[in-house]
Amino acid sequence: MITFTLHLKSCPPSAIRSLILWKKPNIRNKSSMVAGLRPASVVVLHRSLAPAFEKFCQTNSGPLPLLGRSEPGKWVSPTMGAVPDTRMDCPQFRKYEFGACTGSMTSLEEYSEQLKDMVTFFLDCSFSLEGALEKAGIPRRDPAGHGHVCAYKTTVPCATIAGFSCPLVVTMQPIPKDKLERLVQASCSMVGQQGQPVHIGDPGLLGIKDLSKPDYGNPVACQPGDVPVFWPSQLTSLEAVSGHKTPLAFTSAPGCTVMTDLKGMEAQAGCLTPEEVPEVHHISQDPLHYSIASASAVQKIRELETIIGIDPGNRGIGHLLCKDELLRASLSLSHSHSVLVTTGFPTHFNHEPPEETDGPPGAIALAAFLQALEKGVSMVVDQRALNLFKKLVEEAVEQGVLKTQIPILTYQGASAEAAQAFLCDDRDPKCLRFDHLVAIERTGRAADGNYYNARKMNIKHLVDPIDDLFLVAQKIPGVSSTGVGDGGNELGMGKVKEAVKRHIRNGDVIACDVEADFAVIAGVSNWGGYALACALHILNSCEVHGRYLRKAAGPSRAPGEHNWTEALPSINKEETMLGILVRHKVRSGVSGRVGMEVDGLPFHDTHAQMIQKLLDVTTGRG
């Protein structure tokens, strides 16, 4: 029996029963469990590379789920551990020399001397797509036995460890869109995290150009109504071996496995906790994109949406509410790389400055959390208000509300071409400067081209055409948008304009005609900005969502590694921010007073309580 150093506590010593040296090895061309045995693919490397490859697997555990490894120099003929396959004439192993595949073979017997100085790694292949489809009640498209599952090289890099570096390889199965969540939950209930997809939607987001041309296996055609679903593949190990260019290495051939009684960390059916149950949510149509988060995280974000949806001004905003807009907006933001935030509603047109205290605090709170997530964030404002916002941001940094400065931009273009040039480098829609636009209490263009405050006063002379950026963004694949409002005349509220016209005072005139992909409705718009920051905290603290974000490649975040709680809005920070606005004579939106209030509501009696409620849900104290 071979002696192994095992890396799962459930694995007893000397547990592997594979017949690697046999001319008729104990290999089966299937990925299901048989009589207590589980399939594994193998990678055989020189002993000097073993520590690095072991760490590479542990760091990229999604595509490379390590079951165990042999000790070097311990090769003896093992005992039989499973029923031999009947297809022994087909190649079961690949040979690599300096990164090139130089042969395929059914046995490694002729290399027994070299193997004495080599180490074998066993990668878990127990996840059965066939089993998940059966459990979810979804018929297979490619009949069993007609080649192995198709797989594709992506442009997603695995984390590099000591010379091992390669792109992630994924398998794909088209799934009817109305059965996506059922399949994902079925696959996760079978094998835990290993059953979780790493991408659902447009293959181009993984760098895959043509689904009809897989790098491994046979293609599976998508039918109308299907969505491509991708899982990490152990074939990533072949790319790792090829990329390292070691003088000699062996791997399992694609679609072939060794049967072993090594144990993995699989979930027991029906035992997933709310923190482990995945939910699937659509976040983009062009390109098609779905995201995943745990049921627990989703429930918390829905609580945030309910909390901010109260109507302290009795404006009738309850008629504007759409379920899960906060959830989908925050999921989209979580996938973004560079965010453009805008705010500023010059409702007090007879005063200087004409801005109100609702909007800037929420925008800066969101920007602070985006900074903590290491995303690019900029702000675009009216040219007229540029100096004011520069001072607000500078003082926010000085007083600890923001960590670092935010670039403050202006936009005064007068054409779709100018807007595209602002959003894209060199006017190229494939080279995005920003992939998500967020408007928080930003005055929005009405159907007649004017801009109105709640009292139906036209303030167009104080407003730059930032709306055009949102209009053009709708036509650029890969750019999403969110509008946060509390009255229907804010940028982005065009998504609910019919409800605004019916239920909001003066709505037939003031309703914003420009829509955003997501319309977050709040009793006070600042609350929507706070809630977006809190939702991003919940998502990025969610293990299910975190794994999906990093495509199961690279290390998972250790608890406490990122102290995002410090970046959340707090009562002290928001009181400080409001104080900065007051010192610059910015007035409350409803009352017109210069003081510690927003929309006529006092900070300590109303806004502080709201912030605390949001924090309690976010941090689990509620």
Side-chain angles (χ1 to χ4, degrees):
M1 179 69 74
I2 306 170
T3 303
F4 292 92
T5 301
L6 305 177
H7 303 284
L8 299 172
K9 293 182 179 179
S10 60
C11 300
S14 306
I16 297 178
R17 301 173 180 174
S18 56
L19 303 183
I20 288 184
L21 300 183
W22 278 35
K23 291 182 181 179
K24 292 188 176 182
N26 179 26
I27 294 173
R28 299 175 64 85
N29 288 49
K30 61 188 292 186
S31 56
S32 57
M33 302 282 284
V34 179
L37 301 175
R38 65 193 309 117
S41 62
V42 300
V43 174
V44 188
L45 298 168
H46 189 269
R47 63 192 301 169
S48 64
L49 300 176
F53 188 72
E54 181 175 2
K55 187 174 181 181
F56 182 69
C57 292
Q58 292 168 342
T59 303
N60 299 284
S61 60
L64 303 170
L66 186 62
L67 283 174
R69 50 162 279 192
S70 74
E71 292 288 352
K74 299 291 185 179
W75 283 103
V76 293
S77 179
T79 59
M80 179 176 292
V83 180
D85 193 2
T86 58
R87 297 175 57 189
M88 291 306 169
D89 56 335
C90 60
Q92 310 293 349
F93 299 99
R94 281 185 172 184
K95 175 185 175 184
Y96 287 84
E97 295 177 287
F98 298 99
C101 180
T102 57
S104 298
M105 58 210 72
T106 59
S107 166
L108 301 185
E109 185 178 30
E110 63 181 291
Y111 299 98
S112 57
E113 284 302 311
Q114 292 94 322
L115 288 170
K116 290 179 181 178
D117 207 30
M118 301 182 84
V119 173
T120 300
F121 292 86
F122 294 80
L123 303 175
D124 190 2
C125 295
S126 61
F127 170 60
S128 167
L129 181 58
E130 298 100 316
L133 290 167
E134 181 179 353
K135 186 169 183 177
I138 303 172
R140 263 189 77 96
R141 293 285 171 77
D142 50 333
H146 288 250
H148 57 276
V149 176
C150 61
Y152 305 83
K153 299 178 188 178
T154 72
T155 55
V156 177
C158 289
T160 299
I161 300 291
F164 284 100
S165 175
C166 68
L168 173 71
V169 177
V170 294
T171 60
M172 188 282 293
Q173 182 73 18
I175 303 297
K177 64 181 179 182
D178 61 339
K179 294 181 173 62
L180 285 173
E181 189 165 273
R182 188 194 310 173
L183 174 70
V184 172
Q185 292 182 355
S187 60
C188 288
S189 70
M190 292 174 64
V191 291
Q193 283 190 342
Q194 281 305 123
Q196 181 182 314
V198 295
H199 179 63
I200 303 175
D202 191 328
L205 294 173
L206 295 176
I208 299 171
K209 296 181 179 179
D210 189 348
L211 286 179
S212 69
K213 298 178 180 179
D215 296 287
Y216 302 91
N218 304 307
V220 183
C222 288
Q223 303 297 330
D226 282 347
V227 176
V229 181
F230 300 85
W231 286 265
S233 171
Q234 289 76 23
L235 292 172
T236 302
S237 62
L238 276 62
E239 298 299 316
V241 169
S242 177
H244 193 276
K245 304 187 186 306
T246 182
L248 179 65
F250 303 97
T251 69
S252 296
C256 295
T257 56
V258 173
M259 300 305 293
T260 172
D261 56 6
L262 283 167
K263 305 297 181 184
M265 296 180 66
E266 56 196 282
Q268 296 183 7
C271 290
L272 294 178
T273 67
E275 289 74 23
E276 297 168 328
V277 174
E279 289 194 12
V280 178
H281 294 275
H282 179 247
I283 60 172
S284 172
Q285 190 59 36
D286 187 13
L288 183 64
H289 195 191
Y290 291 77
S291 189
I292 292 178
S294 72
S296 175
V298 169
Q299 179 57 35
K300 286 183 177 181
I301 295 172
R302 286 174 174 158
E303 289 181 40
L304 298 180
E305 187 171 63
T306 299
I307 290 171
I308 65 172
I310 64 171
D311 189 1
N314 296 316
R315 300 178 183 179
I317 67 165
H319 298 286
L320 313 184
L321 296 172
C322 299
K323 184 182 178 182
D324 287 344
E325 291 292 282
L326 177 65
L327 172 63
R328 297 195 302 125
S330 57
L331 284 167
S332 180
L333 277 168
S334 187
H335 285 273
S336 68
H337 299 285
S338 182
V339 181
L340 181 66
V341 181
T342 185
T343 188
F345 204 122
T347 188
H348 303 299
F349 52 88
N350 287 326
H351 296 275
E352 182 57 39
E355 270 65 34
E356 61 167 305
T357 52
D358 193 16
I364 288 176
L366 174 60
F369 202 81
L370 292 170
Q371 286 181 335
L373 294 177
E374 299 180 351
K375 297 183 184 296
V377 57
S378 301
M379 185 176 290
V380 59
V381 300
D382 296 312
Q383 177 69 41
R384 167 196 53 76
L386 178 60
N387 289 334
L388 170 65
F389 277 93
K390 283 184 175 180
K391 292 175 183 177
L392 295 179
V393 168
E394 287 172 4
E395 293 183 28
V397 173
E398 290 171 2
Q399 299 194 38
V401 178
L402 274 172
K403 281 284 187 182
T404 58
Q405 291 280 344
I406 303 171
I408 308 294
L409 312 174
T410 62
Y411 174 77
Q412 296 177 292
S415 66
E417 291 74 17
Q420 181 165 310
F422 186 92
L423 295 173
C424 308
D425 287 328
D426 300 323
R427 301 176 186 267
D428 184 353
K430 296 181 180 179
C431 299
L432 301 176
R433 291 179 67 194
F434 310 103
D435 55 9
H436 201 120
L437 313 183
V438 182
I440 300 179
E441 191 66 16
R442 167 69 191 178
T443 181
R445 185 183 299 156
D448 64 2
N450 292 317
Y451 296 80
Y452 297 96
N453 66 14
R455 296 182 295 277
K456 210 163 52 173
M457 301 300 296
N458 187 1
I459 52 176
K460 182 177 181 179
H461 60 290
L462 297 171
V463 180
D464 290 340
I466 292 172
D467 305 65
D468 289 346
L469 301 177
F470 282 67
L471 289 171
V472 169
Q474 295 172 8
K475 302 175 183 178
I476 302 177
V479 183
S480 298
S481 59
T482 297
V484 180
D486 58 15
N489 56 346
E490 301 89 1
L491 178 53
M493 295 299 105
K495 185 171 184 179
V496 293
K497 63 184 178 183
E498 296 307 319
V500 173
K501 292 175 182 178
R502 287 195 303 269
H503 300 289
I504 301 298
R505 183 185 177 188
N506 299 324
D508 58 330
V509 174
I510 71 172
C512 177
D513 198 51
V514 180
E515 67 178 76
D517 295 314
F518 315 108
V520 176
I521 311 300
V524 175
S525 293
N526 282 341
W527 301 350
Y530 304 154
L532 282 170
C534 290
L536 285 169
H537 182 283
I538 291 168
L539 289 174
N540 284 271
S541 302
C542 167
E543 188 173 353
V544 169
H545 184 66
R547 178 184 173 87
Y548 190 75
L549 277 182
R550 70 177 192 277
K551 306 293 185 286
S556 59
R557 297 186 180 104
E561 180 181 348
H562 296 283
N563 195 359
W564 288 317
T565 303
E566 292 183 357
L568 285 169
S570 68
I571 293 174
N572 287 338
K573 284 195 289 186
E574 298 316 310
E575 183 177 17
T576 298
M577 191 65 234
L578 186 54
I580 293 171
L581 288 164
V582 170
R583 282 195 297 277
H584 288 276
K585 307 299 182 183
V586 179
R587 298 170 182 271
S588 173
V590 173
S591 68
R593 290 189 292 264
V594 176
M596 296 296 289
E597 63 176 57
V598 180
D599 280 354
L601 303 169
F603 180 79
H604 285 289
D605 289 344
T606 303
H607 302 288
Q609 292 179 16
M610 174 58 66
I611 294 165
Q612 190 59 55
K613 288 179 181 178
L614 296 175
L615 291 175
D616 287 345
V617 171
T618 303
T619 59
R621 294 194 297 266

